[in-house]
Amino acid sequence: MEAAAARRRAQPSGWWGMALLIATEATLFACLIASYFYLRFKASEWPLGGIEVPSVVLPLVFTGGLLAATLPLFLAVREAKRGRAARAWWLLAAAAAVQATYLGLQIHLYASDMNSFSPQENAYSSIYFVLLGFHHAHVAIGLALDSWLLWKLARGITNYRLIGLRATALYWYFVNVAAVAVVLTQLSPSL
Amino acid sequence: MLVVAGLVFLGAVAMLALGWLRRDKPGLPWLGESERANTTLVVAFGIAIPIVILVALFVVSDLVLMKETDAPRAGETAMGMTVVGHQWWWEVRYGDSDAVTANEIHIPARTPIDLVARSADVIHSFWVPELNRKIDMIPGQANSIELYADEPGVYRGQCAEFCGLQHAHMAFRVYAEPPARFREWLANMERPAREPASAEARRGRRLFMENACASCHTIAGTEARGSIGPDLTHVASRQTLAADTIENTPRNLFRWIRNPQSIKPGDKMPGLGLGAARFQAIAAYLSELR
Amino acid sequence: MEAAAPPAARTRVERLERIWEEPPGVLGWLTTVDHKRIGILYFFTSLAFFAAGGVEALLMRTQLIGPNQATLDPATFNELMSMHGVTMIFFFVIPMSLGAFGNYLLPLMIGARDMAFPRLNAVSYWIFLCSGIFIYAGLLTGNAPNAGWFNYVPLASRAYSPGPGIDFYALGLLFVGISTTAGAINVIVTIFKLRAPGMSLNRMPLFCFAFLAVSFALVFALPALNTALVLLELERLLGLHFFAPVFGGDPILWQNLFWIFGHPEVYIIILPAFGIATSIIPTFTRRRMVAFPLVALAEILVAFLGFGVWAHHMFAVGLATATTIYFAAASLVIVIPSGIQLFSWITTIVTGTPRFKTPLLWIVGFIVLFILGGLSGVTFAAIPFDQQLTDTYYVVAHFHYVIFGAAVFPLLGGMYYWFPKVTGRMYYERWGQASFWLTFVGMNVTFFPMHLLGLAGMPRRDYTYSAGLGWTGYNLIETLGAYLLGLGLLAVAVNLALSIFRGERVGADPWGGDTLEWSTSSPPPEYNYAVIPTVSSPYAMWDREDREADEANLEAGRRTLEAGHETPASTAVDAEWDETLEMPAKSLWPPLTALAISAVFTMVILQRWLAAAICTAILLLVLAGWHGREPEEA
Ligand code: HEA
Ligand code: HEA
Ligand code: CUA
Ligand SMILES: [Cu+2]
């Protein structure tokens, strides 16, 4: 396994596949964010219909937390490349724990937003919930990838699992960037 | 523009014909088998010449012509009007006059008009091929365009954006008239509906008011105040019915109100099934509304 | 390989046969991961959709044969009109080019043994099939989409389209979009990773450049459509608001999103055709393409520039003048790369020694029709002209010239060209030429009068028209032309169908072809090449020494990879040998996955939310099952 990875000079196919998937997903987020601003600049007031501007602190703190999980993830890949399965497992588990906490807190926030205004109210509330919902769905998918890897890595590293881990890490880097873009868009009326 | 396009096309086809004639000989006539010459040819015909043509086309059509046909600025025009697209008919209002008509637009000839295009439901597109370029009617948006007829006459217009089942039967007419005739016409349109003269027509009016007709149509001067269908105050003065679908003859009027669905299947106006005699009376009433 | 091969080579070939064998019969087709079989599945499925779309078109034309006809009622006409556009674009041209031609030919042309992700490839096909069935289920249950292929809101909103028709449109396109995205990613990775060691990017055939450009365009264009569709479905199914002005929405948002996808889409449709043209022309003119690097660049440039012109479909919505002028200028710029390619084809034909066999005929026809269609496209970039002609039959004429003439003609030419490769038999040449002329004449008789009809003021999407407007004659001619066109296509179909069974048998390379696929037997073996080919130019078949090197390599057992289900992976640009990949073999997971996804979409359209959630869970289980076993464990 280590031998194959070491000899390889180019990125493996799995990495390319993930990179391209990310390219389409990033474009999807770009379209959603563009739609948000399109609606915003057509509107006379924003948020519409007297909805309160979003509060800034919690979403920023949560996003900071999510970004912090990048480090263990990055280290997990490095350790896995060196063939240290156990360390990679623990680092990945740490990252996943942070990410799961992030998702839990965000969903809590999402639900409490829903209590104060509904997605069906107007274009602002609709695009607000959709943008966040998409982002949270991407985090959830990332967690699914994490758990699949944790299950696999518990039984050692193979070339296949290593590529999987690298692809998953790449995916999370993208989700982190998307998180920043989304949170800035979300908070733009308050900034 | 079509001439230039024709020339480009013929040139390219001539080259292909050359290819056929020289199918057994490699290389170019005169220039021979030089890869440099070939590439130069591609660059010349594929890049250099098109750039010249395209720049010329752009300047002429998009910069010069655009200016001339742009929507009018405030104050430049003599008159304003609003046309509202509905599935599948047109509501027409004039500047600050109270007149409301449908499907037939009268305008003074040789007078630039600032036309505001709106929609009551889905997207339509206002288009009189001989008078104006298309302008879409979009809900929540007011687009404007200049309508100008340099000759008196009747011009056919139609909806150009797909708007559902009866998009094909959403046409209208523009009557460009000498300004005096137009003012006279407008003055008539501003008057409320005239009282029915015959007994049959009086019965027709009662039936109209008692049935669902009145909940969809307005007849100024009566209690009919609906806004779903066209204003019928002067319906008999129109040449056509149902957005230029049928001629406005007494027989067609009767056919229409009795069973609109057979003329425009899927239309928003239902057949009410009141029986021939009652429809006859209503038609008698409506045909007096000049 | 040839029967006369020496014993050492024979044993190698036999070993490869054993390793790459797939089960026979239906099970073999269900579980296949062979790009060639998947390509064939794509071919027949998209052909069936072509026939469906064609029948829809003929029905429309029959209704329009004269004024005030009642062959179709307006509701049916609108459904057929919408289904025709949707079918032809999403279920015929794209799967036919990317799925059938791309799948079958790309690995062969780059000297690989399969696509980069064989099982993803299979699942793309099964999803495509299921999504086609899904959207046609709408038609069969009387719930076909009816708001046209660009489906403008608010006509497509719940208020004006209450039935499930539009849901079939939106969900069906999301559904097939999964397949297309997966297919595009697969193509890109295949081209980047699996080129035969030695085939650096500058030695790659132009065909592959075209498919690379298409796939990149898809990766970046589809998300815009998907965004629009998701927003629409959220509005229709859950009552959110994006497009209704009373709630602060804007119907123009839909138009922007749709055309940001829609314009790149039209180049996605035509680029594979360009690729096919650049394969057929060198073979039949017996020379390399003129200005090769310029053409490669132009192919990429067309795909790229296509993203900057979308609002030229919206010149009548009342955008700011400066905006329209920008988009008009951009639409003119895009002519340049088309011009480069066009004159490269023409110059190549002029300077070569062309043999006008059926495939080349289709390409010449394509060139003529593309010029005409392209020129009518350029006229739209003159804004006042467009505002006069948009949404008339002039537009219908433009896009059938570029779509049917310029995109479908090369596909048909390609069917003839590669027919001997895929079947090992030759079609009937005279019939082939006759079918070309029938179709070519029919095409022009059908679509040329549409220009005039548009100039005479007939709007598109009218289910009928009145007499006395000067439209009757044109419409009659068009309808007759359409029947002729149908006859021409039928002749193509009959010719090819008969030749499958009765055509004369041919060897590996009946044409003196230019690219690698002609070096392997016809039809190619499961493993494509016993020896990974040596490549030193984009016209690999014309490099004699390389092909001799292949034979020597087989003899000596170099570059044969006979230890398992293997193919080499190379570095992305220079194509240096990087590693040997173990490729996945037959699998039942792809069709199962497609079934699970179908279940999810079905539950969503029925608005059974709980069931949809359960089906999603099942889908996740299937995916976990699929990825439970690794190649190394197998
Ligand atoms: C295969 C698909 C395809 C292709 C290749 C094209 C090519 C082009 N199209 Fe077309 N188009 C469509 C498919 C396509 N189109 C479709 C489907 C629609 C309608 C959608 C709908 O409304 O339903 C449409 C509609 C459409 C419109 C909107 C019309 C409207 O609705 O109002 C416009 C406007 O600018 C346009 C422009 C162009 C241009 C400038 C090109 C250029 O790329 C053409 C370039 C090619 C040439 C010009 C010919 C070769 C070059 C030369 C011979 C060199 C010399 C030439 C000159 C100097 C001019 N197209
Ligand atoms: C790939 C794209 C494609 C193709 C190939 C075609 C092909 C044809 N189209 Fe088009 N068409 C569109 C894409 C396409 N179309 C789109 C996008 C629209 C816009 C829809 C909208 O407004 O929303 C449209 C709209 C459209 C209209 C306008 C409808 C309206 O505005 O009211 C018309 C009208 O005549 C028409 C006619 C035809 C005809 C006669 C053909 C003929 O060429 C069809 C001929 C085909 C056959 C008869 C099938 C034959 C098949 C076999 C025999 C099977 C075996 C085959 C082989 C082996 C080859 N089409
Ligand atoms: Cu109104 Cu079409
Ligand atoms: Cu376009």
Side-chain angles (χ1 to χ4, degrees), chain B residues 120-159:
Chain B
D121 37 47
V122 305
I123 301 179
H124 306 271
S125 190
F126 180 89
W127 186 40
V128 191
E130 292 165 272
L131 299 186
N132 75 306
R133 52 196 219 206
K134 288 184 195 71
I135 189 74
D136 287 354
M137 310 173 123
I138 296 164
Q141 193 171 320
N143 284 336
S144 71
I145 198 158
E146 180 178 297
L147 191 64
Y148 179 81
D150 49 11
E151 285 298 323
V154 186
Y155 302 90
R156 184 174 185 275
Q158 65 209 322
C159 177

Short mmCIF file of all heavy atoms in Angstrom, two decimals, chain B residues 120-159:
data_model
loop_
_atom_site.label_atom_id
_atom_site.label_comp_id
_atom_site.label_asym_id
_atom_site.label_seq_id
_atom_site.Cartn_x
_atom_site.Cartn_y
_atom_site.Cartn_z
N ALA B 120 -51.06 40.61 -15.97
CA ALA B 120 -51.89 40.29 -14.82
C ALA B 120 -51.65 38.88 -14.32
O ALA B 120 -52.07 38.52 -13.23
CB ALA B 120 -53.36 40.45 -15.18
N ASP B 121 -50.99 38.04 -15.13
CA ASP B 121 -50.80 36.66 -14.69
C ASP B 121 -49.43 36.13 -15.10
O ASP B 121 -48.48 36.27 -14.35
CB ASP B 121 -51.95 35.76 -15.20
CG ASP B 121 -52.41 36.13 -16.60
OD1 ASP B 121 -51.54 36.30 -17.47
OD2 ASP B 121 -53.63 36.25 -16.83
N VAL B 122 -49.32 35.55 -16.28
CA VAL B 122 -48.04 34.97 -16.69
C VAL B 122 -47.35 35.93 -17.66
O VAL B 122 -47.84 37.01 -17.92
CB VAL B 122 -48.25 33.59 -17.35
CG1 VAL B 122 -49.01 32.68 -16.42
CG2 VAL B 122 -48.98 33.72 -18.67
N ILE B 123 -46.21 35.49 -18.20
CA ILE B 123 -45.49 36.37 -19.12
C ILE B 123 -46.12 36.31 -20.50
O ILE B 123 -46.39 35.23 -21.03
CB ILE B 123 -44.01 35.96 -19.19
CG1 ILE B 123 -43.38 36.04 -17.80
CG2 ILE B 123 -43.26 36.87 -20.16
CD1 ILE B 123 -41.93 35.63 -17.76
N HIS B 124 -46.41 37.47 -21.05
CA HIS B 124 -46.83 37.59 -22.44
C HIS B 124 -45.84 38.49 -23.15
O HIS B 124 -44.96 39.06 -22.51
CB HIS B 124 -48.23 38.20 -22.54
CG HIS B 124 -49.27 37.51 -21.72
ND1 HIS B 124 -50.02 36.47 -22.19
CD2 HIS B 124 -49.67 37.70 -20.43
CE1 HIS B 124 -50.85 36.05 -21.24
NE2 HIS B 124 -50.65 36.78 -20.15
N SER B 125 -45.99 38.61 -24.46
CA SER B 125 -45.11 39.54 -25.15
C SER B 125 -45.91 40.31 -26.18
O SER B 125 -46.64 39.74 -26.98
CB SER B 125 -43.96 38.79 -25.82
OG SER B 125 -43.01 39.70 -26.29
N PHE B 126 -45.80 41.63 -26.10
CA PHE B 126 -46.59 42.53 -26.94
C PHE B 126 -45.84 42.77 -28.24
O PHE B 126 -44.72 43.24 -28.23
CB PHE B 126 -46.80 43.84 -26.19
CG PHE B 126 -47.60 44.86 -26.94
CD1 PHE B 126 -48.98 44.89 -26.82
CD2 PHE B 126 -46.99 45.79 -27.75
CE1 PHE B 126 -49.73 45.83 -27.51
CE2 PHE B 126 -47.74 46.74 -28.44
CZ PHE B 126 -49.11 46.75 -28.32
N TRP B 127 -46.48 42.44 -29.35
CA TRP B 127 -45.75 42.54 -30.62
C TRP B 127 -46.69 42.86 -31.77
O TRP B 127 -47.60 42.10 -32.06
CB TRP B 127 -45.03 41.21 -30.90
CG TRP B 127 -44.15 41.25 -32.11
CD1 TRP B 127 -43.33 42.27 -32.50
CD2 TRP B 127 -43.99 40.23 -33.09
NE1 TRP B 127 -42.66 41.93 -33.64
CE2 TRP B 127 -43.04 40.69 -34.04
CE3 TRP B 127 -44.53 38.96 -33.26
CZ2 TRP B 127 -42.64 39.93 -35.14
CZ3 TRP B 127 -44.13 38.20 -34.35
CH2 TRP B 127 -43.19 38.68 -35.28
N VAL B 128 -46.44 43.99 -32.41
CA VAL B 128 -47.10 44.30 -33.68
C VAL B 128 -45.99 44.30 -34.71
O VAL B 128 -45.22 45.25 -34.79
CB VAL B 128 -47.77 45.69 -33.65
CG1 VAL B 128 -48.67 45.86 -34.87
CG2 VAL B 128 -48.54 45.89 -32.38
N PRO B 129 -45.87 43.23 -35.49
CA PRO B 129 -44.69 43.09 -36.35
C PRO B 129 -44.37 44.35 -37.16
O PRO B 129 -43.22 44.69 -37.34
CB PRO B 129 -45.05 41.92 -37.27
CG PRO B 129 -46.02 41.12 -36.47
CD PRO B 129 -46.77 42.09 -35.62
N GLU B 130 -45.41 45.04 -37.61
CA GLU B 130 -45.12 46.18 -38.47
C GLU B 130 -44.82 47.45 -37.69
O GLU B 130 -44.40 48.45 -38.28
CB GLU B 130 -46.31 46.43 -39.41
CG GLU B 130 -46.48 45.31 -40.43
CD GLU B 130 -47.84 45.36 -41.08
OE1 GLU B 130 -48.78 44.76 -40.53
OE2 GLU B 130 -47.96 46.02 -42.11
N LEU B 131 -45.09 47.49 -36.41
CA LEU B 131 -44.95 48.75 -35.68
C LEU B 131 -43.87 48.75 -34.62
O LEU B 131 -43.19 49.75 -34.42
CB LEU B 131 -46.28 49.12 -35.00
CG LEU B 131 -47.48 49.33 -35.90
CD1 LEU B 131 -48.66 49.82 -35.08
CD2 LEU B 131 -47.15 50.34 -37.00
N ASN B 132 -43.72 47.69 -33.88
CA ASN B 132 -42.77 47.77 -32.76
C ASN B 132 -42.03 46.47 -32.60
O ASN B 132 -42.46 45.42 -33.07
CB ASN B 132 -43.50 48.08 -31.45
CG ASN B 132 -44.25 46.88 -30.91
OD1 ASN B 132 -45.04 46.28 -31.61
ND2 ASN B 132 -43.97 46.50 -29.69
N ARG B 133 -40.86 46.56 -31.96
CA ARG B 133 -40.17 45.34 -31.60
C ARG B 133 -40.87 44.74 -30.39
O ARG B 133 -41.67 45.42 -29.74
CB ARG B 133 -38.71 45.64 -31.30
CG ARG B 133 -38.58 46.74 -30.28
CD ARG B 133 -37.18 47.28 -30.30
NE ARG B 133 -36.75 47.55 -28.92
CZ ARG B 133 -35.83 48.45 -28.63
NH1 ARG B 133 -35.23 49.13 -29.57
NH2 ARG B 133 -35.48 48.64 -27.38
N LYS B 134 -40.54 43.47 -30.09
CA LYS B 134 -41.27 42.81 -29.00
C LYS B 134 -40.92 43.41 -27.65
O LYS B 134 -39.78 43.80 -27.42
CB LYS B 134 -40.91 41.33 -28.94
CG LYS B 134 -41.49 40.56 -30.06
CD LYS B 134 -41.18 39.09 -29.88
CE LYS B 134 -41.47 38.41 -31.19
NZ LYS B 134 -40.49 38.77 -32.22
N ILE B 135 -41.92 43.43 -26.79
CA ILE B 135 -41.60 43.76 -25.41
C ILE B 135 -42.39 42.80 -24.52
O ILE B 135 -43.58 42.62 -24.69
CB ILE B 135 -41.91 45.25 -25.10
CG1 ILE B 135 -41.37 45.62 -23.74
CG2 ILE B 135 -43.38 45.55 -25.22
CD1 ILE B 135 -39.88 45.79 -23.71
N ASP B 136 -41.67 42.14 -23.62
CA ASP B 136 -42.34 41.17 -22.77
C ASP B 136 -43.17 41.86 -21.71
O ASP B 136 -42.81 42.92 -21.21
CB ASP B 136 -41.31 40.25 -22.10
CG ASP B 136 -40.70 39.27 -23.10
OD1 ASP B 136 -41.17 39.25 -24.25
OD2 ASP B 136 -39.76 38.56 -22.71
N MET B 137 -44.29 41.22 -21.36
CA MET B 137 -45.13 41.71 -20.27
C MET B 137 -44.89 40.77 -19.11
O MET B 137 -45.22 39.59 -19.18
CB MET B 137 -46.58 41.67 -20.70
CG MET B 137 -46.78 42.32 -22.05
SD MET B 137 -48.44 42.09 -22.61
CE MET B 137 -48.92 43.78 -22.83
N ILE B 138 -44.29 41.32 -18.06
CA ILE B 138 -43.82 40.46 -17.00
C ILE B 138 -44.47 40.86 -15.69
O ILE B 138 -44.50 42.05 -15.35
CB ILE B 138 -42.28 40.56 -16.90
CG1 ILE B 138 -41.69 40.03 -18.20
CG2 ILE B 138 -41.75 39.80 -15.70
CD1 ILE B 138 -40.27 40.40 -18.40
N PRO B 139 -45.04 39.89 -14.97
CA PRO B 139 -45.68 40.25 -13.70
C PRO B 139 -44.70 40.97 -12.77
O PRO B 139 -43.54 40.57 -12.67
CB PRO B 139 -46.12 38.90 -13.11
CG PRO B 139 -45.56 37.85 -13.99
CD PRO B 139 -45.13 38.48 -15.27
N GLY B 140 -45.18 42.01 -12.15
CA GLY B 140 -44.32 42.73 -11.22
C GLY B 140 -43.37 43.69 -11.89
O GLY B 140 -42.48 44.22 -11.25
N GLN B 141 -43.51 43.88 -13.19
CA GLN B 141 -42.55 44.72 -13.89
C GLN B 141 -43.33 45.56 -14.90
O GLN B 141 -44.30 45.10 -15.47
CB GLN B 141 -41.56 43.80 -14.60
CG GLN B 141 -40.32 44.48 -15.12
CD GLN B 141 -39.31 43.43 -15.61
OE1 GLN B 141 -39.14 42.39 -14.99
NE2 GLN B 141 -38.68 43.71 -16.72
N ALA B 142 -42.90 46.80 -15.10
CA ALA B 142 -43.55 47.64 -16.11
C ALA B 142 -42.51 47.98 -17.17
O ALA B 142 -41.59 48.73 -16.91
CB ALA B 142 -44.09 48.91 -15.47
N ASN B 143 -42.65 47.38 -18.33
CA ASN B 143 -41.72 47.68 -19.42
C ASN B 143 -42.34 48.72 -20.32
O ASN B 143 -43.55 48.76 -20.47
CB ASN B 143 -41.46 46.42 -20.24
CG ASN B 143 -40.53 45.48 -19.52
OD1 ASN B 143 -39.76 45.91 -18.68
ND2 ASN B 143 -40.61 44.21 -19.85
N SER B 144 -41.50 49.54 -20.93
CA SER B 144 -42.13 50.49 -21.83
C SER B 144 -41.45 50.47 -23.19
O SER B 144 -40.31 50.04 -23.35
CB SER B 144 -42.14 51.88 -21.23
OG SER B 144 -40.83 52.38 -21.22
N ILE B 145 -42.22 50.88 -24.16
CA ILE B 145 -41.74 50.84 -25.53
C ILE B 145 -42.47 51.91 -26.30
O ILE B 145 -43.54 52.36 -25.91
CB ILE B 145 -42.02 49.44 -26.13
CG1 ILE B 145 -41.16 49.26 -27.37
CG2 ILE B 145 -43.50 49.27 -26.48
CD1 ILE B 145 -40.97 47.82 -27.71
N GLU B 146 -41.86 52.32 -27.42
CA GLU B 146 -42.53 53.32 -28.22
C GLU B 146 -43.38 52.64 -29.29
O GLU B 146 -42.91 51.74 -29.97
CB GLU B 146 -41.51 54.23 -28.89
CG GLU B 146 -42.17 55.30 -29.74
CD GLU B 146 -41.14 56.22 -30.37
OE1 GLU B 146 -40.44 56.90 -29.61
OE2 GLU B 146 -41.03 56.26 -31.60
N LEU B 147 -44.64 53.09 -29.38
CA LEU B 147 -45.51 52.58 -30.43
C LEU B 147 -45.75 53.73 -31.38
O LEU B 147 -46.17 54.81 -30.98
CB LEU B 147 -46.83 52.11 -29.81
CG LEU B 147 -47.75 51.32 -30.72
CD1 LEU B 147 -47.11 50.00 -31.11
CD2 LEU B 147 -49.07 51.05 -30.01
N TYR B 148 -45.48 53.51 -32.65
CA TYR B 148 -45.58 54.63 -33.59
C TYR B 148 -46.02 54.10 -34.95
O TYR B 148 -45.40 53.17 -35.48
CB TYR B 148 -44.23 55.33 -33.72
CG TYR B 148 -44.24 56.48 -34.68
CD1 TYR B 148 -44.72 57.73 -34.30
CD2 TYR B 148 -43.80 56.33 -35.99
CE1 TYR B 148 -44.76 58.79 -35.18
CE2 TYR B 148 -43.83 57.38 -36.89
CZ TYR B 148 -44.31 58.61 -36.48
OH TYR B 148 -44.35 59.66 -37.37
N ALA B 149 -47.09 54.66 -35.45
CA ALA B 149 -47.55 54.26 -36.79
C ALA B 149 -47.44 55.47 -37.69
O ALA B 149 -48.01 56.51 -37.40
CB ALA B 149 -49.00 53.77 -36.73
N ASP B 150 -46.68 55.32 -38.78
CA ASP B 150 -46.55 56.50 -39.63
C ASP B 150 -47.66 56.61 -40.67
O ASP B 150 -47.78 57.61 -41.34
CB ASP B 150 -45.16 56.59 -40.28
CG ASP B 150 -44.75 55.29 -40.91
OD1 ASP B 150 -45.62 54.40 -41.03
OD2 ASP B 150 -43.57 55.16 -41.28
N GLU B 151 -48.47 55.57 -40.77
CA GLU B 151 -49.60 55.62 -41.70
C GLU B 151 -50.86 55.18 -40.97
O GLU B 151 -50.81 54.24 -40.18
CB GLU B 151 -49.38 54.63 -42.85
CG GLU B 151 -48.37 55.07 -43.88
CD GLU B 151 -48.83 56.34 -44.58
OE1 GLU B 151 -50.05 56.49 -44.82
OE2 GLU B 151 -47.96 57.21 -44.86
N PRO B 152 -51.99 55.80 -41.23
CA PRO B 152 -53.23 55.24 -40.67
C PRO B 152 -53.47 53.86 -41.27
O PRO B 152 -53.08 53.60 -42.40
CB PRO B 152 -54.32 56.23 -41.16
CG PRO B 152 -53.59 57.44 -41.58
CD PRO B 152 -52.21 57.03 -42.00
N GLY B 153 -54.08 53.00 -40.50
CA GLY B 153 -54.33 51.65 -41.02
C GLY B 153 -54.59 50.68 -39.88
O GLY B 153 -54.58 51.06 -38.72
N VAL B 154 -54.83 49.44 -40.25
CA VAL B 154 -55.07 48.39 -39.26
C VAL B 154 -53.85 47.48 -39.24
O VAL B 154 -53.40 47.02 -40.29
CB VAL B 154 -56.30 47.55 -39.61
CG1 VAL B 154 -56.60 46.57 -38.49
CG2 VAL B 154 -57.49 48.46 -39.85
N TYR B 155 -53.29 47.26 -38.07
CA TYR B 155 -52.10 46.43 -37.95
C TYR B 155 -52.40 45.27 -37.02
O TYR B 155 -52.98 45.46 -35.95
CB TYR B 155 -50.93 47.24 -37.39
CG TYR B 155 -50.59 48.45 -38.22
CD1 TYR B 155 -51.20 49.68 -37.98
CD2 TYR B 155 -49.68 48.36 -39.26
CE1 TYR B 155 -50.90 50.79 -38.75
CE2 TYR B 155 -49.37 49.47 -40.04
CZ TYR B 155 -49.98 50.68 -39.77
OH TYR B 155 -49.68 51.77 -40.54
N ARG B 156 -52.00 44.09 -37.43
CA ARG B 156 -52.25 42.93 -36.58
C ARG B 156 -51.11 42.74 -35.59
O ARG B 156 -49.93 42.89 -35.94
CB ARG B 156 -52.39 41.67 -37.43
CG ARG B 156 -52.74 40.44 -36.64
CD ARG B 156 -53.00 39.25 -37.56
NE ARG B 156 -53.45 38.10 -36.80
CZ ARG B 156 -52.62 37.24 -36.20
NH1 ARG B 156 -51.33 37.43 -36.28
NH2 ARG B 156 -53.10 36.21 -35.52
N GLY B 157 -51.46 42.44 -34.35
CA GLY B 157 -50.43 42.15 -33.36
C GLY B 157 -50.76 40.85 -32.68
O GLY B 157 -51.86 40.32 -32.82
N GLN B 158 -49.79 40.31 -31.95
CA GLN B 158 -50.10 39.04 -31.27
C GLN B 158 -49.12 38.82 -30.12
O GLN B 158 -48.08 39.45 -30.05
CB GLN B 158 -50.01 37.89 -32.23
CG GLN B 158 -48.61 37.66 -32.75
CD GLN B 158 -48.63 37.06 -34.13
OE1 GLN B 158 -49.46 36.23 -34.43
NE2 GLN B 158 -47.71 37.50 -34.97
N CYS B 159 -49.53 37.90 -29.28
CA CYS B 159 -48.69 37.55 -28.15
C CYS B 159 -47.56 36.66 -28.65
O CYS B 159 -47.79 35.69 -29.35
CB CYS B 159 -49.49 36.81 -27.10
SG CYS B 159 -48.48 36.27 -25.73
#
